Amino acid sequence: REICLLNRLVQCGALLVLTRCLARSISQMERLNEIDGLCKVLELFFHCSNELATNELQGLCDELYPLLIGILLMEKTSPSWRIPKSVFRLIERISSLPVRIHQIENIETLLHFFQDAIDLSHVSLLNLGSICGMLQLLTGMALNVNSRRRLLAVPGFFKSILQDFMHLREASYSIAVFLLVLAQDLDSRLKIIDTPEFFHVLSVLLRDDSVATRKIAITQLNLIAVEKTGRTKLITYGGSALFDSIIDCVQTCGNDETFSVFIRRFIRIDTAKILYNEESIMNKVLGHSSSTQSNVIAAKVIHRLSSFLFVNGKGMERLLNAILSASASNCSRVRYWGVKALANQAKTEACSFFLVHTPTVAQAVASTIAKLSMDVNTEVCELALGVVVDLASNPLNHRALTKNAIILASLTTAASNGSKTAILAMIRLTVCEKTRCMLAKQHNVVECFSRYGVLSKKKDDREERKACLQCVIWLVPLM
């Protein structure tokens, strides 16, 4: 019955009348009880369910906001003035509406008021809803370009909000939305990443109990990682604590795709070496874990690093060990990213030479390929055999690969089972005249070529079948 009455009052224009009454009451500061009562009545209208009420409330926001802000600022100008709690509750209600704050006068004074109000010495006077309402009001201000610039221009304000948040964890969602609005604008983003406290708060938000808050924090990471400056600051200011929080967030949220986007944006040619040299971060990311999710995260990082760093370089032993370790994992998803990282290394001429001609490394790589070529996951099998194709692209590797019994056995076994990738690797080795004598004397090589060239029924491998028969013509006389 009460809601029906409120709906009818809205239709009669009661909201506009109440707003005008509030304006008159504010002009006479002694009418404190009247202001309190009017705010309470206005708050009641938020219980209305019809579209007209919502539209009326949104339409009055441009008029109501300055009035409420005027009430907030009265405490600054009059020591005897005490703001009724109904004002904060009304701010909280209005801030929940999708409204942009277009123009606010005395913004610097208002921001200083927020600093005081959110500060611990004032928290006891406010409930959590009021604090969240004030943060939502800041978010509304940040949506407007001019207000946002003035907000960040107030000395120490942004840093103060971040420091105070550490004592107001319950308001984490509101602060996360506020920071996200700032991070979406390039100019603002470049300013906020210059504040080390921002990364500390981001680390806390990534571990928040609310899934919604954690997802917003991950989105902020993706925005920050777009520019080189942001990527560098993530390492220097965020450190191992931030990356620990990122891993924890991905584990609890299951945000695999979002994290993959972050990794692609964050690990670039300008940050790969810096990240790799940060031992504390790398220990966090690449550290052995019993958690499958953690190991998948580590494997994705290894794969991305392998696109820019190469194991034949000085001090790269840890990267090679990490690649081989991921490729030998019990988890199929980890093996997938591990062998993709190995493929990245094999595609580089100098690196492929190192993998084939360094005795201990060559043995480890050959054993890894042999195991993966028989993997239960056919995609992993083909990727492993593709590594041999890439290694065989370097003519300097032909003799060493042909002499490697483990590699050759893996190729002939896979080729016997109809693997086109294994056949491609064998063709590349046979093209070299110096290796033909060795290949001709190897068990099963000619047979593999003959079977594939004659019996293969695949429609898309006509060229491969012709190449196989040509290899038979080369090898048979040498048997």
Side-chain angles (χ1 to χ4, degrees):
R1 186 186 298 175
E2 290 176 355
I3 292 176
C4 289
L5 177 61
L6 288 171
N7 287 337
R8 290 186 66 185
L9 287 170
V10 169
Q11 292 172 352
C12 296
L15 278 170
L16 181 60
V17 173
L18 288 168
T19 303
R20 299 289 162 79
C21 288
L22 181 63
R24 282 198 299 272
S25 299
I26 291 170
S27 65
Q28 302 176 40
M29 287 171 53
E30 67 274 6
R31 293 188 177 181
L32 193 59
N33 291 335
E34 193 174 309
I35 289 172
D36 185 28
L38 286 166
C39 287
K40 286 177 180 176
V41 173
L42 282 166
E43 188 192 354
L44 287 175
F45 283 92
F46 281 86
H47 296 290
C48 295
S49 55
N50 62 42
E51 190 176 340
L52 175 63
T54 305
N55 291 337
E56 283 284 318
L57 286 166
Q58 284 182 310
L60 285 170
C61 277
D62 275 345
E63 192 168 342
L64 261 177
Y65 263 129
L67 293 177
L68 295 170
I69 290 166
I71 297 171
L72 295 180
L73 296 177
M74 282 180 184
E75 190 176 64
K76 284 283 185 181
T77 56
S78 175
S80 61
W81 178 259
R82 288 295 175 265
I83 302 170
K85 289 187 178 180
S86 58
V87 174
F88 292 110
R89 288 199 300 272
L90 187 55
I91 287 174
E92 182 186 353
R93 291 286 194 178
I94 293 175
S95 297
S96 65
L97 294 172
V99 175
R100 238 174 238 262
I101 301 173
H102 296 290
Q103 186 60 44
I104 294 178
E105 296 180 6
N106 302 319
I107 190 170
E108 287 77 12
T109 310
L110 175 64
L111 293 178
H112 285 305
F113 169 82
F114 281 162
Q115 279 180 277
D116 291 345
I118 295 176
D119 190 76
L120 275 179
S121 61
H122 289 70
V123 167
S124 59
L125 302 176
L126 306 174
N127 59 34
L128 178 62
S130 300
I131 293 168
C132 291
M134 294 169 72
L135 287 169
Q136 287 163 0
L137 185 57
L138 286 177
T139 303
M141 292 165 62
L143 285 167
N144 179 263
V145 177
N146 292 329
S147 298
R148 182 169 60 245
R149 287 174 182 167
R150 290 170 67 186
L151 188 154
L152 290 173
V154 177
F157 172 72
F158 182 66
K159 184 176 179 180
S160 175
I161 289 289
L162 295 175
Q163 289 171 338
D164 289 332
F165 163 72
M166 299 314 295
H167 305 288
L168 295 167
R169 300 288 178 85
E170 297 86 351
S172 58
Y173 181 78
S174 297
I175 195 75
V177 174
F178 170 57
L179 294 177
L180 179 61
V181 170
L182 292 178
Q184 286 175 332
D185 173 68
L186 176 59
D187 292 337
S188 302
R189 187 160 67 241
L190 293 175
K191 287 182 180 178
I192 65 177
I193 61 174
D194 268 336
T195 313
E197 288 81 1
F198 168 72
F199 293 94
H200 183 46
V201 169
L202 193 55
S203 181
V204 173
L205 293 174
L206 286 164
R207 291 179 177 272
D208 194 77
D209 292 337
S210 163
V211 173
T213 301
R214 294 199 298 269
K215 285 183 177 179
I216 291 173
I218 281 280
T219 304
Q220 287 180 53
L221 280 174
N222 283 334
L223 288 169
I224 293 165
V226 171
E227 288 89 32
K228 180 180 178 181
T229 308
R231 294 193 289 271
T232 307
K233 294 288 174 67
L234 278 168
I235 297 171
T236 54
Y237 287 161
S240 60
L242 178 61
F243 283 85
D244 203 20
S245 295
I246 293 170
I247 294 168
D248 182 68
C249 177
V250 176
Q251 285 177 325
T252 52
C253 281
N255 273 347
D256 250 11
E257 186 52 42
T258 310
F259 177 74
S260 297
V261 172
F262 169 67
I263 288 298
R264 288 195 296 272
R265 287 184 177 181
F266 172 61
I267 302 179
R268 302 279 187 91
I269 193 166
D270 52 77
T271 52
K273 192 66 180 287
I274 300 171
L275 180 65
Y276 184 79
N277 289 332
E278 285 286 337
E279 194 166 342
S280 60
I281 295 176
M282 292 305 293
N283 288 340
K284 288 280 186 187
V285 176
L286 302 183
H288 293 290
S289 172
S290 57
S291 163
T292 299
Q293 189 72 30
S294 292
N295 292 330
V296 171
I297 291 169
K300 286 184 177 182
V301 172
I302 292 164
H303 169 251
R304 189 63 180 167
L305 286 171
S306 71
S307 301
F308 305 105
L309 303 177
F310 302 103
V311 294
N312 61 318
K314 187 178 179 181
M316 289 292 140
E317 297 83 2
R318 181 172 54 180
L319 179 60
L320 176 61
N321 291 335
I323 291 172
L324 295 176
S325 176
S327 301
S329 171
N330 293 325
C331 173
S332 176
R333 289 173 66 204
V334 175
R335 292 197 301 276
Y336 170 81
W337 290 108
V339 72
K340 285 198 77 172
L342 187 59
N344 281 342
Q345 300 297 307
K347 285 179 173 68
T348 307
E349 187 174 311
C351 203
S352 73
F353 185 87
F354 173 81
L355 293 173
V356 172
H357 291 273
T358 309
T360 53
V361 174
Q363 184 68 21
V365 169
S367 299
T368 299
I369 290 170
K371 288 177 184 176
L372 294 175
S373 67
M374 297 183 289
D375 199 275
V376 292
N377 184 331
T378 54
E379 193 172 9
V380 171
C381 289
E382 289 302 303
L383 284 169
L385 294 168
V387 170
V388 185
V389 174
D390 292 328
L391 293 173
S393 298
N394 185 348
L396 298 175
N397 292 339
H398 288 172
R399 285 181 65 84
L401 286 171
T402 307
K403 286 182 178 180
N404 194 312
I406 298 173
I407 292 283
L408 211 56
S410 299
L411 291 177
T412 53
T413 302
S416 299
N417 294 324
S419 170
K420 179 179 175 179
T421 311
I423 286 291
L424 283 172
M426 291 170 64
I427 291 171
R428 288 195 178 186
L429 293 176
T430 311
V431 167
C432 176
E433 291 184 19
K434 295 179 181 178
T435 60
R436 288 176 191 168
C437 284
M438 288 185 283
L439 287 168
K441 293 170 184 176
Q442 293 292 332
H443 174 67
N444 239 6
V445 171
V446 174
E447 184 183 340
C448 287
F449 281 136
S450 301
R451 186 184 296 114
Y452 196 92
V454 175
L455 300 178
S456 177
K457 303 297 182 184
K458 296 176 182 177
K459 295 180 180 179
D460 61 342
D461 62 353
R462 184 179 175 184
E463 293 301 317
E464 286 78 8
R465 293 202 305 273
K466 285 172 63 178
C468 282
L469 296 175
Q470 179 61 57
C471 288
V472 171
I473 293 170
W474 284 333
L475 296 179
V476 167
L478 302 172
M479 291 177 71

